[in-house]
Amino acid sequence: LPYNCQFLVEAGLYESADESARREEVLGELDKIVKDWVKQLTSQRGYTDQMVEEANAVLFTFGSYRLGVHGPGADIDTLCVGPSYVNREEDFFIVLHDILAQNEEVTQLQPVPDAHVPVMKFKFHGISIDLLYASVSLLVVPSDLDISQEAVLYDIDEATVRSLTGCRVADQILRLVPNIESFRTTLRCLKHWARRRGVYSNVTGFLGGVNWALLVARVCQLYPNAVPSMLVSRFFRVFTQWRWPTPVMLCAIEEEELGFPVWDPRKNPRDRTHHMPIITPAYPCMNSSYNVSTSTLRVMIEQFQFGNKICQEIEMNKASWSALFEPFNFFEAYKNYLQVDIIAEDDEDLRLWKGWVESRLRQLTLKKSV
């Protein structure tokens, strides 16, 4: 799809070769920091010289960076996998935090230990990093650790499973799509479309990066030989006709002996309340879009219908691709709206306060008016 690729380049969705190389360098430096941190702890805990020699941590990426669809300035989702004796509470959130705090290239360091998925957020050489930690039940983490294997899930808690999930899901998506390049171009296109149409946001009840990736991957599976321009129009056709809450799945849900809860509306009453189930393809399979409400689903269906109509017009040469990416005119569509202004003492407080308020906005809109 020459026009559309060109369109995406002109829309500024691809980073420069320089920025790409800088990300690689930053990840290399971060990898060295976490490896040194684990060696230091191994030595302090009195393990043998040979153990200190073999001590290791492995850095993985996930999210848009791992899928190859990140744009300029996007943050990098990273996961550090360490050995069983290096824990999250003290070793990661205190010891590693202090090591990062002393590094002058690290700015805006913000630990979030009690998040659903505990994370350390910071900028490293100006690049935003979200760093998760998973301690697996191995004394030595091999450099070629394959985290898509179920064995990594043995004998770990649910927060650790959640920390591993992002990587396991990204790897599975790339394994399950018939053509990775077509998938990437189509996904870039649809993420750009979703942002322009105001439906890209997991936190406010629309869809975030992983949700869009799973929907696009499903369409790629349904049309394995289609080029991206065809996949874009098929995407709208498929999801305008989709009978929600029928789940979107890339593969069958596996029941494993490990006993972690998986999405199953027959067994779990809570799963029956989900409006737009988009199921992750790695055990334990979850609904990645539980934030969607009846009203956000309605808005998204309207937008799918808009996309479908434009794509039909494009196919009949009655419209151009740029019509698909017309920004949604919120203030013309709605006479009444609620504006939330937030203020804080300084940048640091504002960032924390903004994150807290954003995460609660969904609850506010779900409250019934009195």
Side-chain angles (χ1 to χ4, degrees), residues 354-370:
K354 173 178 176 281
W356 190 91
V357 172
E358 276 178 348
S359 70
R360 302 305 191 280
L361 279 177
R362 226 168 22 87
Q363 302 307 322
L364 176 66
T365 57
L366 291 175
K367 297 266 183 254
K368 297 283 177 279
S369 52
V370 226

Side-chain angles (χ1 to χ4, degrees), residues 229-255:
S229 55
M230 169 81 104
L231 287 166
V232 170
S233 71
R234 288 294 177 272
F235 177 94
F236 292 117
R237 186 184 297 180
V238 167
F239 292 114
T240 317
Q241 296 170 3
W242 198 268
R243 295 189 126 93
W244 303 106
T246 306
V248 172
M249 299 194 287
L250 301 188
C251 55
I253 292 179
E254 298 172 61
E255 287 283 358

Side-chain angles (χ1 to χ4, degrees), residues 122-352:
F122 54 95
K123 282 194 166 183
F124 191 29
H125 293 280
I127 289 174
S128 300
I129 306 274
D130 279 7
L131 180 63
L132 314 184
Y133 179 68
S135 160
V136 292
S137 47
L138 295 168
L139 274 176
V140 177
V141 179
S143 296
D144 60 354
L145 177 72
D146 179 359
I147 57 168
S148 60
Q149 297 298 315
E150 239 84 284
V152 298
L153 303 177
Y154 288 127
D155 201 21
I156 57 175
D157 63 11
E158 285 196 27
T160 307
V161 173
R162 289 196 292 270
S163 302
L164 288 161
T165 294
C167 287
R168 289 166 50 81
V169 167
D171 287 353
Q172 272 293 81
I173 291 174
L174 294 173
R175 214 172 270 135
L176 292 167
V177 293
N179 179 320
I180 290 178
E181 279 314 309
S182 296
F183 163 73
R184 283 179 173 148
T185 304
T186 309
L187 179 53
R188 276 183 187 274
C189 198
L190 280 151
K191 282 172 67 164
H192 179 51
W193 174 84
R195 285 196 176 96
R196 302 281 286 179
R197 304 300 298 170
V199 289
Y200 188 100
S201 167
N202 185 20
V203 75
T204 55
F206 294 102
L207 301 181
V210 73
N211 314 122
W212 291 107
L214 291 166
L215 292 185
V216 169
R218 185 68 192 111
V219 174
C220 290
Q221 288 180 331
L222 294 170
Y223 302 96
N225 302 315
V227 295
S229 55
M230 169 81 104
L231 287 166
V232 170
S233 71
R234 288 294 177 272
F235 177 94
F236 292 117
R237 186 184 297 180
V238 167
F239 292 114
T240 317
Q241 296 170 3
W242 198 268
R243 295 189 126 93
W244 303 106
T246 306
V248 172
M249 299 194 287
L250 301 188
C251 55
I253 292 179
E254 298 172 61
E255 287 283 358
E256 269 296 318
E257 288 74 77
L258 293 174
F260 291 109
V262 297
W263 188 80
D264 186 347
R266 293 162 308 181
K267 285 187 194 160
N268 314 325
R270 200 164 169 199
D271 294 346
R272 269 172 241 154
T273 63
H274 294 167
H275 300 289
M276 191 185 193
I278 302 170
I279 309 304
T280 55
Y283 175 80
C285 298
M286 317 269 190
N287 172 22
S288 66
S289 52
Y290 54 86
N291 281 352
V292 172
S293 66
T294 35
S295 61
T296 56
L297 176 59
R298 188 183 67 242
V299 170
M300 285 188 279
I301 290 171
E302 283 167 11
Q303 291 308 315
F304 291 157
Q305 288 165 342
F306 162 84
N308 194 38
K309 182 170 139 291
I310 301 285
C311 283
Q312 285 173 346
E313 289 172 5
I314 292 170
E315 281 168 19
M316 299 186 300
N317 288 326
K318 287 185 179 169
S320 69
W321 279 106
S322 54
L324 185 64
F325 300 96
E326 281 292 309
F328 178 73
N329 206 325
F330 181 88
F331 297 103
E332 279 178 17
Y334 299 103
K335 278 208 292 287
N336 303 310
Y337 62 91
L338 179 67
Q339 175 173 320
V340 179
D341 291 333
I342 66 165
I343 43 178
E345 287 285 312
D346 54 44
D347 286 0
E348 180 66 10
D349 281 0
L350 187 67
R351 203 167 57 248
L352 295 169

Side-chain angles (χ1 to χ4, degrees), residues 79-92:
L79 164 75
C80 172
V81 176
S84 55
Y85 57 86
V86 173
N87 66 37
R88 190 188 306 109
E89 296 69 36
E90 290 101 40
D91 299 333
F92 180 70

